């Protein structure tokens, strides 16, 4: 229709007494981080992967997995709840080369 109808601009403003917005729910399910301290890094990675987590460890040297120590610590700690797909960092010792 021409001319357009005019309306009261107050209908465009939110009401003061409106309830607060509904908080969004987490879409990624939480999983419990398994304890992997004391086992070999390759097995730790398998366990974490089965739980839907990623394992982060640093093989900067060319050591075989059989040459490194068992996992000494992990972040986040065991039994912590994290979103599926989170990264768990594991720490271990590598053999000393003996050179200077």
């Amino acid at each position: 229709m021409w001319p357009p109808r005019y309306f009261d601009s107050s209908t465009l403003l939110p009401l003061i007494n409106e309830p607060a917005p509904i908080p969004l729910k987490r879409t990624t399910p939480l999983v419990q981080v398994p304890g992997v301290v004391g086992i070999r890094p390759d097995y730790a990675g398998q366990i974490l992967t089965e739980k839907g987590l990623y394992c982060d460890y640093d093989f900067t040297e060319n050591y075989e997995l059989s040459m490194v120590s068992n996992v000494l610590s992990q972040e986040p700690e065991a039994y912590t709840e994290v979103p599926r797909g989170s990264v768990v960092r594991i720490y271990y010792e590598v053999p000393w080369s003996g050179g200077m």
Side-chain angles (χ1 to χ4, degrees), residues 3 5 7-9 17 20 25 28 31 35-36 40 42-43 45 52 54 56 69 71 74 83-84 89 94 98-99:
R5 294 184 189 174
F7 56 89
D8 183 6
S9 64
N17 294 332
K25 292 184 178 181
T28 305
V31 296
V36 294
R40 290 188 21 198
D42 53 343
Y43 293 140
Y54 293 100
D56 180 24
S69 71
V71 176
Q74 68 183 69
R84 184 180 302 277
R89 178 109 174 128
V94 293

Side-chain angles (χ1 to χ4, degrees), residues 28-36 44-57 74-90:
T28 305
L30 294 177
V31 296
Q32 192 176 58
V33 177
V36 294
Q46 290 175 4
I47 292 169
L48 294 169
T49 301
E50 289 171 2
K51 285 285 194 174
L53 301 168
Y54 293 100
C55 182
D56 180 24
Y57 48 88
Q74 68 183 69
E75 292 176 3
E77 294 180 5
Y79 313 113
T80 305
E81 287 191 342
V82 297
R84 184 180 302 277
S86 295
V87 176
V88 177
R89 178 109 174 128
I90 61 173

